[in-house]
Amino acid sequence: MSSLPAYAELHCLSNFTFLRGASHAGELITRAQALGYSALAITDECSLAGVVRAHVAAKQHGLKLIIGTEIQIDDGPKLVLLATNRESYGHISMLITRARMRAAKGCYRLTLADLEHNLDHCLALLIPLRPLLPLEGEEIQNRHTTLQHARYLARRFPQRAWIAVELLCGVNDKTQLATLRELSAQSGLPLVAAGDVHMHLRSRKPLQDTLTAIRHGVTLSEAGHRLQPNAERHLRTRAALARIYPPELLAETQRIAGLCDFSLDILRYEYPHELVPRGKTATVYLREITFEGLARRYPQGTPAHVQKQIEHELQILAELQYEHFVLTVYDVVKFARAQNILCQGRGSAANSAVCYALGITEVDPARMSMLFERFVSRERDEPPDIDVDFEHQRREEVIQYLYNKYGRDRAALATTVITYRSKSALRDVGRALGLESGQIDRLARSMSWWDGRKVIPERMREAGLDPEANINKLLFLLINLIVGFPRHLSQHVGGFVISQGPLGRLVPIENAAMPERSVIQWDKDDLEALGLLKVDVLALGMLSAIRRTLDFVSTWRGAPLTMQNILDRGDDPKVYEMIQRADTIGVFQIESRAQMTMLPRLKPAK
């Protein structure tokens, strides 16, 4: 291994380039490390959706990760952009945001004008239009256009642009290399080796072909030249690369990798500062409104143990710098209450006396002893989580309040990664293999979520299919591979990410399917992995039911009845007598059979 040339792969797609990449980011990282690569770039098409998973895997395996993206310019070339530092990462993220926000969900649009500003310190690789063959017919125009693109990049990215040489065992590789050398001499751009990687192993080629057929809405037999001609777009051994590429092109990958000195670990996230009055710090302001809330909660005086708990919590929140997060949630709750929208914080936030004082939760620390460290602690080093439920019919008012207050450039929902499950995999793969729709439907109807993957042959027999037939063996193999692959990004049920500056410098933003909604390209697990915070603005139908009940009873009795009126009365023994008998049909959160079975044994009384 030590005698082989060093190599860094600079053009690699994960399966977050939907229906193109045929490997998970973790698989690519693991394979690159096993092959002795010095670095691996994840360059998904106009996306940074998979980079957090790649970052976590790269740290585990001790491999250098380069972050970048592949983009196709409408009136220009295909490029790979690589981040060298925090500034260039922010520029790439903002470029992706602009491209995605001006197009429908799942699409993007970029022009050469978009490359004219704010890409300082980014590196650019030109991906030639297609293999440049000997001059004949339209190939003259093809080569002329590629030369124009190369000269443009030489001007726009001085000393920071290269021509990617991707030799993939085609019939004209030698001619291609000679033509690209000529292009390099004419444009002044140096050459560098790259692999246009779509999979970590060549054995993923059948899956990659299937993904291509699904993407184009055709069967594999109809896909024709849409399919890659061979399986070379995988992470190749360094011995194979040494046979294919001149040494200087492999060495150039090392020089480029050495210029890339950015890690997601250096990202720093700031919550909006306008929530703190001018002239005050977040620490001082949070203390002020907390004690104002205590005065409302305990008009006869705050109990000593609650006072002690408040001081403990405020100290930890200040040490871990979570005050702005709590203030952001408080602002949302304050707006909802001003609009007479029922809301209620729950989850680990119920363990916080500060959250009770601010009206975020209704769990009174004077009546029970809850462990604050379940909410946030020094030792766990995990961001706090505050889930706030709102009436489901009025939550949209809260969402639009956030967009209006902070703008679409500073507030967006987290994403939810929609992945292939057994049934969706069966339908897409079955169509790509050309199976009859009736067969696919029978098999899909026979499958249940609890079956898992191993019972598919059994379900095939029930649907009248022979699991030993070659086509059905291939179906079974492909389903097992594709289950768990990301299919597209959807919006989280209500997790908002709000920033002090442009959010698009931290993570790309794109349009959601719903009007007037936008989402970032990271999901809640990605946010947790980087220690970033989100505000959960959730919808709860039960609160809408309670709102209608309060309105009805208020009308019937001729006097207003509020949630607080009920809470102030304390626990009703008659209610708990019913709960102890498991007489809880229609009672929110204790109406499942398993919960009801436990009640006569636990006998809750308060």
Side-chain angles (χ1 to χ4, degrees), residues 172-294:
N172 293 296
D173 273 4
K174 289 185 178 180
T175 303
Q176 172 78 350
L177 178 57
T179 304
L180 290 177
R181 278 178 166 157
E182 180 183 346
L183 178 66
S184 173
Q186 293 174 333
S187 66
L189 290 185
L191 303 179
V192 64
D196 191 19
V197 172
H198 284 56
M199 50 202 169
H200 71 298
L201 297 171
R202 67 166 60 246
S203 59
R204 283 288 171 90
K205 180 62 163 58
L207 176 60
Q208 208 276 323
D209 287 346
T210 303
L211 294 171
T212 301
I214 294 171
R215 186 171 81 252
H216 290 285
V218 299
T219 66
L220 281 165
S221 61
E222 297 168 340
H225 291 295
R226 298 183 182 99
L227 305 180
Q228 303 296 349
N230 58 34
E232 289 303 300
R233 284 172 171 78
H234 68 281
L235 292 173
R236 294 172 285 183
T237 65
R238 289 191 290 149
L241 293 167
R243 292 192 298 269
I244 296 170
Y245 289 99
E248 64 272 16
L249 269 64
L250 298 175
E252 194 69 9
T253 68
Q254 296 300 105
R255 191 168 83 84
I256 293 175
L259 297 173
C260 298
D261 188 26
F262 170 74
S263 168
L264 292 178
D265 283 334
I266 71 175
L267 290 181
R268 292 294 176 266
Y269 178 57
E270 291 186 344
Y271 257 84
H273 292 170
E274 61 259 45
L275 298 174
V276 180
R278 190 179 300 275
K280 295 183 179 180
T281 65
T283 301
V284 169
Y285 181 57
L286 179 59
R287 171 175 287 273
E288 283 183 5
I289 61 175
T290 297
F291 280 91
E292 289 172 4
L294 287 176

Side-chain angles (χ1 to χ4, degrees), residues 16-169:
F16 274 89
T17 300
F18 304 125
L19 301 181
R20 282 183 65 199
S23 293
H24 295 281
E27 294 174 324
L28 292 163
I29 293 290
T30 302
R31 179 62 175 167
Q33 191 271 340
L35 293 174
Y37 284 20
S38 61
L40 177 69
I42 295 296
T43 58
D44 285 313
E45 184 176 7
C46 201
S47 174
L48 297 179
V51 297
V52 177
R53 299 172 192 217
H55 169 73
V56 172
K59 289 180 68 174
Q60 292 173 345
H61 289 84
L63 180 71
K64 180 175 182 176
L65 174 68
I66 300 171
I67 292 177
T69 187
E70 174 197 287
I71 53 173
Q72 175 64 61
I73 307 298
D74 286 354
D75 55 350
K78 176 185 282 190
L79 302 177
V80 167
L81 298 177
L82 302 176
T84 60
N85 54 25
R86 174 65 180 91
E87 183 180 3
S88 60
Y89 169 83
H91 290 162
I92 290 174
S93 181
M94 286 296 291
L95 181 71
I96 295 172
T97 296
R98 287 197 300 273
R100 293 286 183 179
M101 291 294 284
R102 67 168 58 133
K105 176 177 167 56
C107 303
Y108 70 96
R109 287 193 57 218
L110 284 171
T111 66
L112 282 175
D114 292 307
L115 301 181
E116 289 299 322
H117 306 286
N118 298 328
L119 289 175
D120 298 337
H121 307 293
C122 293
L123 308 183
L125 308 185
L126 170 65
I127 311 299
L129 288 173
R130 62 174 185 265
L132 300 173
L133 304 176
L135 293 175
E136 57 182 50
E138 65 180 57
E139 189 57 39
I140 297 175
Q141 180 61 40
N142 178 25
R143 191 175 298 192
H144 177 69
T145 301
T146 303
L147 177 58
Q148 287 183 313
H149 292 165
R151 286 175 172 169
Y152 169 78
L153 290 182
R155 292 194 307 271
R156 178 63 190 91
F157 297 89
Q159 309 301 315
R160 294 182 285 117
W162 290 258
I163 298 170
V165 180
E166 299 182 331
L167 303 179
L168 301 167
C169 294

Side-chain angles (χ1 to χ4, degrees), residues 533-572:
L533 303 177
K534 71 181 191 314
V535 176
D536 283 315
V537 179
L538 307 175
L540 185 62
M542 182 57 67
L543 282 177
S544 297
I546 292 172
R547 161 61 65 204
R548 291 193 295 270
T549 302
L550 292 174
D551 292 345
F552 173 77
V553 174
S554 297
T555 302
W556 178 77
R557 69 201 292 256
L561 178 68
T562 68
M563 183 90 92
Q564 195 60 45
N565 295 144
I566 300 172
L567 295 171
D568 289 343
R569 295 178 182 178
D571 294 328
D572 186 340

